[in-house]
Amino acid sequence: MKKLRLFCVPLFSFFLLVSAALAQNASIDSLKNSLSISEGKDRLDILIELAFSLREISQGEALAYALEAEKLAQELDNPSAESQATEHISWIYYRQGLWQKAFDFAKESYQLAREANDLKQVARVLNNMGALYYEQQNYLMAIDHFKDAFEISQKAKDVYTQIRSLNNVAFNFTLLENYDSALFYAKNAIRVNEENGSPYLTSFSNRVIGDVYFQKGKLDSAQLIYEKSLAMARQQGLSTFMASVLHRLGNTYLQLGKLNQAEEILEEGITISSQNNFRDELAKSHKYMAQVMAEKGQVNRAFEHLNIYSKINDSLVDKSNRDRIALMQGMFQQNLEKSELELLKAQNENQANRLAFINRVVWIISICGGLIIALLVWLFNLKRNVDKYNRELIIQQNKIEEQNRHLEQSAKQLEEINQTKNKLFSILGHDLRGPVGQLKTIIDMTVNNQLSQSEFEELLPTMKRDLDSVHFTLSNTLRWSTAQMEGFTVNPTKVNLRTIVDATLSLLDAQLKAKQIEILVEMPEHLEVCLDKDLMEVIVRNILNNAIKYSEKGNKILVTVTENQGVLEWCVKDEGIGMSEGQIQKILSDEYSITNSRLGTNNEKGSGLGLQVCKEFIRLINGELSIESEPNKGSKVCVNIPVEVLESNRELVNS
């Protein structure tokens, strides 16, 4: 007998206690009556119980009760009750297919349960987390969460969660085609039920066993187990579970050739699934009914059921793919590349299954004979539908590929930002720790009278140099960080550019004297322009500092300024060690990077942040940075800024 692939549905929808189901309506009515006259802790307990009792029956009501319980638990500062409320909210969102919201609330519930040391609640939340990993098709991670939930529920003596966890582990093993392990855990769940005299989820355990027998080709055994499981579901009044067993039993009858029994049981499955909007179970019932009708030779009915199956299944596949992508973006333990391959593989398998089934239907119809014209019309319509499905799949695949490209770009951008952050912290740690540490040592020695006055005075120049280095690095860092903030604005005012240059040279006087460097400033004494003074001061200081840093002892540095058609060109030319073409291109690159700083001619250290600050600030004032340099022949660094030069100074600048 031909073995068919098992269609799996989530096991996690059967969280309702059977004992509650037997007296459900009366219990819920009683709770609602008590709610109207309750307050404080009593009201909180009733709200949580109502949310739990209704979350598989009326999700709208259950969500309203759970949200009120969450708010009341926060007011009463009760983290254990808040964890229960958020766990119910998580489960309701999960049942509604809102997986990202389900994950967020499950994570919050888990943290609250840990805070309250509520082991029972921790185990139940772990089951919810496992369900979300199941939806990602990450079955191994789901199994790990369910096993953890089982161990914790044993410590908490929570029999219900123990049984639920064992069933969940068994179900995920069937998806991994590890049938021996699935049988072991399903039978273990039944044993725990019997030992504790509880009816919790025994019907589900039997359904998992039936799935294993079906997959192994033991159809007679599968039929008996499914019939037993269905009887339990009828007795407990669980419509969701009945729908999931009915299409399995119908498929088993179909494979055994019991077509009338298959038709009867599948009709019941279609009715229950339609009434309760169980779309996944409804699609499978129509699929197997189409096969039954085809076997009976009722081609028209087979085609009707096939059309219904295709429409429902297409919408389910679309929704499942969208929800799975959203969940992957929110859950931190997912691998993007693996997820993409799994999604594409699932689509390809779905397309292959659909085409294979359509080909089977075409073969069955072709051998039936009949009117040639009607058959040709049907084949034409069928081909058109297949083309439509293929086009939709291609469009869907292109959308997924585009989303994955966006995710990869975002990941790359985040990685670059993280590298820049690490580089910035490394700069601060490296450039600040040494000078500050030396300063602390000198101060400690002075306080402890380990340094004489003359020794202290000898160290003052070194201390000043170190403090100047620290101040310069901090100034660059803070100004660069300020420029990255949203809302940073440029404030141009009337300033004297020569004054900015002279003030900067005064600050750098010690460095100039140490290297005996001669500064030639060919600028008007009163060069008034309109620009942002703070930004220009930083630009001037960094460029002059670099010129001094890479100049040899006794060199000259020339500072000039010219104006041409509203563009002010301010240049600094040195006779230092110069740069290669590759170094210049890296500095002028549009890419965001903090370059490694070379040591100066007197082994001066630098952070590499100065050039980045200059580039950023020049960009903010709509300017351009240009560099002309050759190794060992010096460098000429120019800043071209579109500014307004006052008319009285124009002749001086251009002279």
Side-chain angles (χ1 to χ4, degrees):
M1 179 172 293
K2 189 173 181 181
K3 182 177 179 181
L4 297 180
R5 185 174 182 269
L6 176 64
F7 283 82
C8 301
V9 295
L11 68 159
F12 317 105
S13 58
F14 312 115
F15 185 40
L16 192 60
L17 295 175
V18 175
S19 56
L22 296 176
Q24 194 169 25
N25 293 334
S27 176
I28 292 174
D29 290 341
S30 176
L31 288 171
K32 288 181 178 179
N33 291 333
S34 301
L35 183 64
S36 61
I37 58 174
S38 62
E39 295 180 354
K41 180 63 167 58
D42 292 338
R43 183 176 182 84
L44 177 60
D45 292 339
I46 295 173
L47 287 169
I48 291 174
E49 185 64 28
L50 279 170
F52 176 71
S53 300
L54 290 168
R55 70 186 201 177
E56 292 292 343
I57 301 172
S58 177
Q59 292 175 352
E61 283 187 276
L63 181 59
Y65 288 130
L67 290 171
E68 183 182 350
E70 179 191 25
K71 182 178 180 181
L72 184 55
Q74 292 172 350
E75 294 174 357
L76 298 176
D77 193 20
N78 190 333
S80 179
E82 186 180 353
S83 174
Q84 295 179 58
T86 51
E87 188 263 333
H88 293 325
I89 296 171
S90 169
W91 186 258
I92 292 167
Y93 282 137
Y94 169 76
R95 293 288 289 124
Q96 293 176 346
L98 302 173
W99 295 338
Q100 183 58 51
K101 284 188 175 182
F103 173 75
D104 292 340
F105 278 98
K107 184 168 62 175
E108 180 182 354
S109 179
Y110 180 82
Q111 293 171 347
L112 290 167
R114 282 296 187 188
E115 177 185 341
N117 196 27
D118 188 341
L119 294 182
K120 179 178 178 181
Q121 190 59 27
V122 168
R124 295 194 174 191
V125 177
L126 283 173
N127 265 285
N128 286 13
M129 298 290 284
L132 290 165
Y133 280 110
Y134 157 82
E135 296 296 350
Q136 283 185 289
Q137 299 180 1
N138 191 343
Y139 305 128
L140 291 176
M141 185 67 75
I143 289 172
D144 288 341
H145 278 70
F146 294 137
K147 286 183 176 180
D148 290 344
F150 174 72
E151 293 177 1
I152 294 174
S153 61
Q154 279 187 312
K155 296 178 183 178
K157 297 181 180 180
D158 182 2
V159 176
Y160 163 69
T161 306
Q162 292 178 42
I163 298 166
R164 180 190 179 202
S165 301
L166 289 170
N167 281 332
N168 292 346
V169 172
F171 180 76
N172 275 269
F173 271 126
T174 63
L175 301 177
L176 293 172
E177 299 183 359
N178 190 340
Y179 303 119
D180 292 336
S181 296
L183 277 176
F184 171 79
Y185 281 98
K187 290 180 178 179
N188 199 17
I190 294 175
R191 177 185 58 78
V192 175
N193 266 299
E194 293 173 349
E195 288 177 356
N196 291 275
S198 65
Y200 301 158
L201 304 177
T202 305
S203 52
F204 180 76
S205 303
N206 282 293
R207 199 201 75 183
V208 173
I209 295 173
D211 290 345
V212 173
Y213 284 149
F214 183 93
Q215 198 69 3
K216 287 187 172 183
K218 299 179 180 180
L219 299 180
D220 291 331
S221 299
Q223 174 189 332
L224 294 175
I225 293 296
Y226 284 146
E227 289 174 345
K228 180 179 180 181
S229 180
L230 180 60
M232 292 179 179
R234 292 185 196 279
Q235 181 182 4
Q236 297 163 8
L238 298 175
S239 57
T240 309
F241 192 77
M242 288 171 60
S244 72
V245 177
L246 284 168
H247 72 75
R248 284 175 164 81
L249 181 56
N251 188 26
T252 304
Y253 284 145
L254 171 63
Q255 302 307 313
L256 289 170
K258 300 177 180 181
L259 301 182
N260 290 333
Q261 291 174 274
E263 181 180 1
E264 180 181 354
I265 209 73
L266 289 171
E267 283 287 359
E268 183 180 357
I270 291 172
T271 300
I272 292 177
S273 299
S274 298
Q275 291 173 348
N276 294 277
N277 197 28
F278 300 149
R279 304 192 69 205
D280 191 51
E281 288 78 6
L282 181 62
K284 292 177 176 61
S285 296
H286 279 293
K287 172 184 172 67
Y288 298 135
M289 184 65 83
Q291 296 181 29
V292 171
M293 293 298 103
E295 290 289 338
K296 285 189 169 186
Q298 299 180 24
V299 177
N300 290 335
R301 291 190 63 189
F303 186 63
E304 290 174 2
H305 286 287
L306 179 61
N307 273 339
I308 296 173
Y309 160 72
S310 297
K311 292 178 181 178
I312 298 174
N313 190 59
D314 284 346
S315 66
L316 289 173
V317 169
D318 290 342
K319 183 178 183 302
S320 176
N321 286 338
R322 288 195 304 270
D323 293 343
R324 186 169 291 114
I325 290 172
L327 183 60
M328 286 178 184
Q329 294 171 342
M331 297 183 72
F332 54 87
Q333 296 191 28
Q334 287 307 298
N335 183 291
L336 178 64
E337 210 171 302
K338 182 179 177 182
S339 301
E340 177 185 358
L341 291 175
E342 288 176 351
L343 283 172
L344 293 176
K345 181 180 178 181
Q347 289 180 333
N348 291 334
E349 288 178 352
N350 181 62
Q351 182 181 10
N353 290 336
R354 183 185 293 115
L355 291 175
F357 183 74
I358 291 175
N359 289 336
R360 190 182 301 115
V361 172
V362 171
W363 180 81
I364 292 172
I365 294 176
S366 65
I367 65 174
C368 291
L371 299 174
I372 301 300
I373 296 177
L375 181 60
L376 290 175
V377 171
W378 186 86
L379 288 174
F380 173 78
N381 290 331
L382 183 61
K383 184 181 183 302
R384 185 172 58 184
N385 288 335
V386 171
D387 291 340
K388 177 184 176 183
Y389 297 147
N390 287 335
R391 287 194 300 271
E392 291 175 352
L393 285 173
I394 291 172
I395 293 172
Q396 185 181 30
Q397 182 173 337
N398 290 337
K399 288 181 179 178
I400 292 174
E401 290 175 351
E402 181 66 22
Q403 289 174 340
N404 286 330
R405 282 194 294 271
H406 289 163
L407 289 175
E408 289 174 355
Q409 291 174 359
S410 298
K412 183 178 179 181
Q413 291 173 357
L414 288 174
E415 178 64 23
E416 291 174 353
I417 292 172
N418 190 51
Q419 290 176 358
T420 300
K421 177 205 69 178
N422 293 338
K423 177 66 176 177
L424 185 59
F425 286 156
S426 175
I427 289 169
L428 293 176
H430 180 271
D431 291 356
L432 301 186
R433 179 180 294 177
V436 173
Q438 291 177 9
L439 180 61
K440 181 180 183 300
T441 300
I442 293 172
I443 292 174
D444 288 343
M445 293 177 66
T446 303
V447 171
N448 295 327
N449 296 319
Q450 295 176 350
L451 285 178
S452 66
Q453 180 66 26
S454 60
E455 289 174 329
F456 180 78
E457 290 176 354
E458 289 178 4
L459 292 174
L460 278 177
T462 302
M463 293 169 60
K464 183 179 185 304
R465 183 189 63 195
D466 290 343
L467 286 175
D468 286 342
S469 174
V470 170
H471 180 268
F472 190 60
T473 300
L474 282 176
S475 178
N476 278 337
T477 303
L478 293 175
R479 290 179 182 273
W480 176 78
S481 301
T482 302
Q484 306 307 307
M485 297 179 183
E486 294 184 3
F488 180 84
T489 58
V490 178
N491 298 308
T493 59
K494 183 172 70 174
V495 297
N496 189 330
L497 184 57
R498 177 61 183 265
T499 301
I500 293 176
V501 173
D502 290 343
T504 302
L505 291 174
S506 296
L507 292 174
L508 301 174
D509 185 62
Q511 297 170 243
L512 291 168
K513 289 180 178 179
K515 287 191 173 183
Q516 299 177 7
I517 294 174
E518 181 182 355
I519 290 286
L520 302 176
V521 181
E522 296 182 359
M523 295 176 59
E525 290 293 335
H526 301 287
L527 177 55
E528 292 186 338
V529 294
C530 290
L531 49 72
D532 189 300
K533 180 182 179 182
D534 292 336
L535 298 187
M536 196 63 195
E537 284 179 347
V538 175
I539 295 169
V540 169
R541 184 172 180 185
N542 275 285
I543 293 176
L544 285 173
N545 183 72
N546 275 354
I548 297 170
K549 178 179 177 181
Y550 297 114
S551 292
E552 300 287 353
K553 187 174 182 180
N555 282 168
K556 295 181 180 180
I557 296 176
L558 176 63
V559 182
T560 62
V561 64
T562 59
E563 188 266 343
N564 184 21
Q565 295 182 351
V567 176
L568 188 72
E569 183 179 51
W570 181 80
C571 299
V572 176
K573 187 177 185 305
D574 63 62
E575 300 173 344
I577 60 177
M579 291 179 282
S580 67
E581 184 64 27
Q583 290 172 319
I584 295 174
Q585 290 179 357
K586 187 173 183 180
I587 291 172
L588 298 180
S589 172
D590 290 335
E591 294 182 0
Y592 175 84
S593 64
I594 299 177
T595 58
N596 293 321
S597 175
R598 296 184 296 169
L599 292 176
T601 56
N602 199 24
N603 292 324
E604 299 99 325
K605 297 180 180 179
S607 64
L609 187 61
L611 286 173
Q612 181 62 38
V613 173
C614 283
K615 286 169 59 179
E616 185 71 16
F617 284 6
I618 291 171
R619 181 188 62 80
L620 289 174
I621 59 177
N622 298 318
E624 291 184 357
L625 179 67
S626 64
I627 301 175
E628 299 176 8
S629 181
E630 291 184 32
N632 302 317
K633 291 186 179 180
S635 302
K636 182 178 181 181
V637 180
C638 294
V639 179
N640 298 288
I641 315 169
V643 298
E644 180 184 350
V645 180
L646 299 185
E647 196 64 34
S648 60
N649 298 311
R650 187 176 303 279
E651 183 176 350
L652 292 173
V653 175
N654 295 322
S655 62

